[in-house]
Amino acid sequence: MSLLHDLEATILSRKGADPDTSWTAKLLAKGPEKCAEKFGEEAIEAIIEAVKADKAGLASEGADVLYHFLVMLAARDVALDDVLQELAERQGLSGIAEKAGRPKG
């Protein structure tokens, strides 16, 4: 089991926890839209650190992005393994070929 799987398990265990005692439970209680909004905020903060070329800042914000991404997945009942499976299916494809094969919509 990977560190990300361990984090996913912790997040899932907080789904029914008291929002007054768990940040994760508080986020999940606010609903999927708030979880997505928080993920977006963290992604922007990571972008800022990348532009500043702050390696430590980017590592820290990157951790926040990964955590909030997993919370967002949990809010919509999407498993990390579903995302990893999608990545596995794309492995060996060029990015251009992969994008060309996506449904238009």
Side-chain angles (χ1 to χ4, degrees):
M1 199 163 194
S2 71
L3 183 60
L4 287 177
H5 282 102
D6 291 345
L7 180 56
E8 177 188 44
T10 299
I11 290 166
L12 292 174
S13 76
R14 299 296 198 286
K15 267 191 152 184
D18 181 356
D20 291 332
T21 62
S22 166
W23 171 249
T24 302
K26 185 178 284 196
L27 277 175
L28 290 167
K30 291 180 178 182
E33 294 81 6
K34 184 64 176 177
C35 294
E37 179 185 324
K38 188 63 181 165
F39 170 73
E41 290 171 11
E42 296 300 336
I44 290 168
E45 290 174 11
I47 291 165
I48 291 167
E49 296 304 322
V51 170
K52 291 185 341 187
D54 180 345
K55 288 183 179 184
L58 181 54
S60 177
E61 292 301 334
D64 289 347
V65 166
L66 289 174
Y67 163 76
H68 285 92
F69 179 65
L70 292 175
V71 170
M72 183 175 63
L73 292 178
R76 287 292 187 198
D77 296 318
V78 175
L80 173 60
D81 282 341
D82 294 339
V83 176
L84 297 177
Q85 180 61 40
E86 184 66 31
L87 283 173
E89 291 171 8
R90 294 179 185 187
Q91 195 167 15
L93 289 176
S94 79
I96 293 170
E98 188 279 323
K99 280 191 97 160
R102 289 184 192 174
K104 305 290 184 230

